[in-house]
Amino acid sequence: MLKQEILENMQHIVDNCMGDSKPACTTACPMNTDAKEYIKLLRENKGEEAIKVIREKLFIPKILGRVCAHPCEKGCRRGEEDNPIAIANLKRYIADNFDNPENWDLNKKSSTGKKIAIVGSGPAGAQAALTLLREGHDVTIFEKLGVPGGMMRVGIPEYRLPREIIDEEYSLLTKLGAKFKFNTEIGTDISLEDLKNNFDSILIAIGKHIGRKDLSLENINGDGIFTAVEFLKEISFTRDFKKAGKNILTVGGGDVAMDCARSALRLKNTENSYVLFLEKDLDSLTASKHEVQGALDEGVNFIPSSGINRIFLDNSNRIYKIEVKKCISIFDENGKFHPSFDEKDLQILNIDTLIFSIGQGIDLNINNGLPFEFDKNSLQSKIDSKVFFAGDCASSCIVVGAMAEGQRAGKSINRFLNKEDIWEGRNIQEEGGYSVTKLHLPTEYLPENWDDNSKILRRKGKELDPKERIKTFFEVESTFTELEAKEEANRCLQCECKLCMKECMMMPEYTSCPKELFKEYLEKGYENMDKNIAYSCNECSQCTIKCPNSFEIRENFMEMRKEYVKANDDLSPLAGHTALDDGQELECSKKYSITVPGKKQTKYVLIPGCTVPASFPEAVDKTYEHIKATLGEDNVGIILQCCAKPTEIIGETKLFEERYSRVQNEIEKIGADVIVTLCPSCYLTYEKYSGKKVISYWDLMKETIGIPQKQKNIGINSDVIFNIHDSCPTRNVTSHHDSIRWILNELGYKIEEMKNIRENTRCCGVGGMLGCINSNLYEKIVNRRVNDATQDHIISYCGSCRASMELGGLDSLHILQLIHGTCYMKKDRALRSPDYGMHNRLKTKKILLEKNKSN
């Protein structure tokens, strides 16, 4: 049974890991469109695949690429650093260049015989129709206008959304079998009751076609005073507004107000277009920044901090001027909308046309003037179960939000028709509700080169000359060129928190992210999982280092190893560890071990470990002699015996305790006060278990004894530049890193720092005894580490690391070879691993025995 703290740690990872979290651009989109994926495909020159990703969620990509309020961009991580990715523009580029009606998905289920009436052909009604058509239902769309599109058609100016695009993209509904009843108003041409009698379900998806005026103003019903709705609707159909004069003023500070003001400039007789608003400046407006800038470029005049005080009518009952008062504040002390004015700060404006863009409402005649009552999640009516609502008449206020509600309503209607529970098992956040991703990457975790100068500037499509474009309703902004699209796509950070997965070479073989893996462990039980998973961890802790949440992952695997061993008579269950155990037993045995105490009192004892004596017997001897020469041979002893760390690493706790006790007994026997190590793993083992002070040979030299005197600057004329591979077990022992570099400097050798060093170093491949059970993964890790090198020559201070770096093709030396050798030159390069073996352990023992006899 795993320890409770390990289980809690797994649960903590499952609850908080961001590995499967969608980026903010996706969660901020009501339709959960995978912008990250289609931008990635665009970067890879896969436009045809990119449009497929878009169309999985959006059937009107060209429309949305032009008019979407793009909440995805508000959530874009890049925006926290400079400017968000122009996601809508990229969607438009992909749709304009790669969308082909011949490739549209026309699949749908077999006919159910069920009939649904949809009232309104705006984005909500259209999306619901699409959802229901694919389910095999018969759909009829009733539209008050003579064309499809709803408020998109009559509320968004043509210079932003060409009408042929609406017709093209809406044709998908006809292709799938939708029937349209145009010029049909429910409540006038046909009653709602008739629909209820003739259809199995009804979706009401009408837009906000009722404009508002400030009815508190005197003369508000004079001629020349209009709502934004009627103004934009007539312009949409005729590209004119016959009742408009020459000087047009729009009241309001939103996008609709900008549409009115800019459309006014395009009318034949317009001389001036004004926008009057309560806010103090343009930056305070709710309108999109690019819409405000577009209005400025075209010559719209803005009048800030102002409200209408009086309307003046001429003898023909037409407005000819207004009196404006200064706005002091918009909200009261409770934060409620309650503008206050300076009644003495007044000015007169000569205008002959006044447009109110201060909000829009729903025509409730369809419901006998009563407000709609419905469940906020399922969108089902509380009055009549066969009626549903979506879009402006429900709660959405942007096109893509209306689509999400339409889709949600469509799913609810489908369940209703199938006599299923309307909401069971559904999640509002996955169906267009407000959702915030867990995913957030600190700046230091962003991709390499994310802040290159070429990636700072947000690209923008070219625009028609303002002086020329106000003469027509031609589309103002052009689609990105291929170069602009690629440059903008390359700004995308491709947000995901799989930093541990990118660093770890083991976990990707078994899972997509730690959350998924440990969720499976908790559900199935570690004993029912593949044991190779835990044993493939190379114990390097790079996963924790890379994780923004610093999750402890290796500890889980190490603890599992112990439990696997307990269940297998205290031995590793993997056959690959048999040879390791046999070798460990030899290395801990008397045959290969020797203890030489100091002549009088063993204050210091050198314990060189296993791999160095098995590779460089003479270097061990010279190290021993150096310590004796500087600290006194009376005070220095040596123990040639294994600490059994590999046994502990594979989880054989009882066997480790028995084997380690052998070397601990030798330490106690000679009464050593300080243990001097050459091996990083030995250093940690003795520090944890010995109860003695432990110091590395490297730190001992830097702090106390210095390098051997005759070696000072011995490498000053070397033609070699060395990289340094830091050992991962002691990645957090900063003194080791510093001492190694100090030693090389004292020796006079030139060094160049490679990638991933010191506390961020990578494993050489040996960690966790990986090579015993997964040699292919071991080689991959070796090669990955070798690729970090910037030179052909590398120094390690771990015997196993040295051998791994040589396996990867580098000229790999142990630092002892430089400390006790001659000046190393490029010509001295040679393979050294073939000399590794137990015969060298015996040779080391023989040297020590002979010296002990002679003394």
Side-chain angles (χ1 to χ4, degrees), residues 130-193:
L130 178 63
T131 302
L132 292 163
L133 286 165
R134 293 201 186 283
E135 290 293 332
H137 304 306
D138 184 83
V139 175
T140 302
I141 302 173
F142 294 85
E143 173 55 59
K144 180 179 178 180
L145 302 173
V147 286
M151 287 301 293
M152 290 193 303
R153 173 82 68 165
V154 297
I156 299 175
E158 192 175 358
Y159 63 80
R160 288 177 55 203
L161 179 58
R163 300 323 189 211
E164 63 270 17
I165 289 177
I166 299 176
D167 295 333
E168 176 192 335
E169 297 201 307
Y170 263 63
S171 69
L172 173 63
L173 300 178
T174 306
K175 293 175 189 291
L176 284 169
K179 304 179 188 69
F180 281 90
K181 299 289 185 180
F182 293 118
N183 300 306
T184 304
E185 183 176 0
I186 308 304
T188 300
D189 300 306
I190 185 172
S191 71
L192 184 59
E193 288 303 316

Side-chain angles (χ1 to χ4, degrees), residues 335-353:
K336 293 183 178 180
F337 180 75
H338 192 269
S340 61
F341 300 90
D342 183 349
E343 305 291 344
K344 296 180 180 180
D345 191 343
L346 305 172
Q347 64 172 314
I348 297 293
L349 294 175
N350 295 316
I351 64 164
D352 53 25
T353 308

Side-chain angles (χ1 to χ4, degrees), residues 696-743:
S696 69
Y697 180 41
W698 337 120
D699 285 358
L700 182 65
M701 279 189 278
K702 184 174 185 291
E703 294 174 11
T704 308
I705 66 176
I707 66 170
Q709 289 185 359
K710 66 177 183 177
Q711 298 297 100
K712 178 73 175 178
N713 288 325
I714 193 169
I716 200 164
N717 294 319
S718 173
D719 58 356
V720 175
I721 300 175
F722 287 106
N723 283 155
I724 300 171
H725 165 70
D726 292 301
S727 180
C728 66
T730 52
R731 66 166 71 254
N732 295 318
V733 187
T734 304
S735 63
H736 289 195
H737 313 151
D738 294 339
S739 295
I740 292 296
R741 286 155 178 81
W742 174 84
I743 291 167

Side-chain angles (χ1 to χ4, degrees), residues 205-217:
I206 56 178
K208 293 181 177 179
H209 289 270
I210 304 297
R212 292 174 182 164
K213 299 179 182 178
D214 184 352
L215 298 179
S216 68
L217 292 171

Side-chain angles (χ1 to χ4, degrees), residues 2-3 5-7 9-10 13 506-507 518 521 526 534 537-545 550-563 648-649 651 688 731-732:
L2 291 175
K3 294 178 181 178
E5 56 262 36
I6 295 297
L7 295 173
N9 183 44
M10 288 186 185
I13 293 172
M506 176 276 283
M507 282 197 290
F518 290 114
Y521 269 114
Y526 75 96
C537 171
N538 60 348
E539 206 183 1
C540 67
S541 293
Q542 275 287 75
C543 52
T544 301
I545 291 171
S550 300
F551 291 138
E552 296 286 353
I553 293 178
R554 64 171 287 278
E555 285 76 5
N556 296 339
F557 295 133
M558 295 305 109
E559 190 62 28
M560 287 181 214
R561 293 182 182 191
K562 294 177 184 178
E563 294 302 318
E648 183 181 39
I649 288 174
K688 183 176 181 179
R731 66 166 71 254
N732 295 318

Side-chain angles (χ1 to χ4, degrees), residues 277-294:
F277 54 92
L278 299 173
E279 290 83 358
K280 63 180 180 178
D281 53 36
L282 296 180
D283 289 336
S284 304
L285 295 178
T286 58
S288 305
K289 294 293 185 288
H290 66 276
E291 288 297 322
V292 174
Q293 188 59 52

Side-chain angles (χ1 to χ4, degrees), residues 651-851:
E652 295 177 344
T653 304
K654 287 187 177 181
L655 200 50
F656 165 73
E657 290 173 352
E658 189 279 320
R659 287 171 176 166
Y660 174 78
S661 68
R662 302 179 200 178
V663 69
Q664 184 68 28
N665 289 337
E666 297 299 310
I667 295 169
E668 300 297 343
K669 188 185 300 182
I670 61 176
D673 295 325
V674 180
I675 298 172
V676 181
T677 62
L678 300 179
C679 169
S681 291
C682 290
Y683 174 87
L684 295 179
T685 302
Y686 292 122
E687 189 178 52
K688 183 176 181 179
Y689 296 111
S690 71
K692 308 290 183 179
K693 178 180 177 181
V694 183
I695 188 170
S696 69
Y697 180 41
W698 337 120
D699 285 358
L700 182 65
M701 279 189 278
K702 184 174 185 291
E703 294 174 11
T704 308
I705 66 176
I707 66 170
Q709 289 185 359
K710 66 177 183 177
Q711 298 297 100
K712 178 73 175 178
N713 288 325
I714 193 169
I716 200 164
N717 294 319
S718 173
D719 58 356
V720 175
I721 300 175
F722 287 106
N723 283 155
I724 300 171
H725 165 70
D726 292 301
S727 180
C728 66
T730 52
R731 66 166 71 254
N732 295 318
V733 187
T734 304
S735 63
H736 289 195
H737 313 151
D738 294 339
S739 295
I740 292 296
R741 286 155 178 81
W742 174 84
I743 291 167
L744 288 167
N745 184 63
E746 289 288 291
L747 294 172
Y749 287 103
K750 295 180 284 293
I751 65 171
E752 179 178 277
E753 297 290 13
M754 63 192 291
K755 299 176 183 178
N756 300 300
I757 58 172
R758 293 180 174 265
E759 67 275 5
N760 293 316
T761 192
R762 283 173 163 167
C763 181
C764 71
V766 173
M769 301 297 106
L770 175 64
C772 299
I773 56 101
N774 195 335
S775 59
N776 289 333
L777 181 58
Y778 164 64
E779 288 186 18
K780 289 179 183 178
I781 294 174
V782 169
N783 292 331
R784 194 261 305 268
R785 182 53 174 159
V786 166
N787 286 333
D788 284 338
T790 60
Q791 296 290 331
D792 290 333
H793 310 272
I794 194 165
I795 292 296
S796 302
Y797 44 99
C798 165
S800 297
C801 291
R802 188 215 66 77
S804 289
M805 294 301 94
E806 184 173 84
L807 176 66
L810 296 177
D811 179 30
S812 180
L813 288 82
H814 195 284
I815 194 169
L816 289 176
Q817 295 175 266
L818 300 185
I819 294 172
H820 302 298
T822 58
C823 178
Y824 189 83
M825 306 294 286
K826 289 181 179 179
K827 65 179 178 60
D828 298 323
R829 179 170 185 162
L831 290 176
R832 301 168 183 90
S833 292
D835 292 332
Y836 176 87
M838 296 304 288
H839 65 283
N840 278 331
R841 277 289 298 273
L842 289 175
K843 183 177 180 181
T844 305
K845 179 179 179 180
K846 182 178 179 182
I847 293 172
L848 295 175
L849 276 172
E850 290 175 352
K851 289 203 170 186

